Amino acid sequence: MPRASAVEAAETARRILEVATAQFAEHGVAAASVDEIARSAGVTRGAVYHHYASKPRLFAAVAAAQQQLVADAIVTATAGQDAADALRTGSHAFLDAITHGAAARVLLVEGPAALSWAEWRRGDADGAETHLREGLADAGVASALLDAVTAALSGAMNELALWLSERPADEAARESAHRALDLLLDAIIPA
């Protein structure tokens, strides 16, 4: 049997990741089945393991892809803005991106349980938190406080995101979360 080309292999891996994202978001890591992921992706179970080695590694790839989508939403939302506006806009874009679609369950519910705490934090630190730290520095937060303020604001935004994920259709809660975020940003952004 001929081996798949690199393009075909990449497409297979992408399709598996897409199906796994939907399965993990709908059923959670524990209930999602590698057999069902393979069937829905139109591949064998062996193909799933060939590309991702194990169910935990497949979930880690899904989480990393969702973290990248959140980071991309921040970059897109803040393009061309000055530092203070970018910090505010990016913070709100984070809150919206992480609480919509697959990101909410994958990153906020399943991620902390399925990944080690260190791996979950590393994904956040390599993605959205990097943009937050840069935004805070660009907005004038003193370098001596930058690490602490980044940790505090990141934690607050993650808690707001968790709170919102428990109220997915509650627009009043979403509005309140964004207003609360503005209060925090008003206190942090130097005048």
Side-chain angles (χ1 to χ4, degrees), residues 116-164:
S116 70
W117 178 246
E119 187 175 1
W120 188 86
R121 285 291 301 132
R122 186 172 37 257
D124 190 37
D126 292 344
E129 193 174 290
T130 297
H131 298 296
L132 177 60
R133 182 177 171 65
E134 291 168 358
L136 289 166
D138 291 345
V141 172
S143 60
L145 294 175
L146 191 55
D147 289 341
V149 173
T150 300
L153 187 55
S154 178
M157 289 193 304
N158 283 330
E159 285 299 318
L160 277 172
L162 283 168
W163 185 75
L164 276 179

Side-chain angles (χ1 to χ4, degrees), residues 73-94:
I74 294 166
V75 170
T76 299
T78 59
Q81 295 185 338
D82 70 32
D85 288 342
L87 176 59
R88 187 174 301 277
T89 301
S91 296
H92 286 284
F94 166 84

Side-chain angles (χ1 to χ4, degrees), residues 97-111:
I98 201 165
T99 57
H100 280 103
R105 179 141 188 202
V106 168
L107 296 178
L108 298 174
V109 177
E110 299 295 322

Side-chain angles (χ1 to χ4, degrees), residues 17 24 54-65 67 115 119:
L17 194 66
F24 291 141
S54 66
K55 186 176 173 182
R57 283 196 170 162
L58 176 57
F59 180 76
V62 166
Q67 287 169 325
L115 303 170
E119 187 175 1

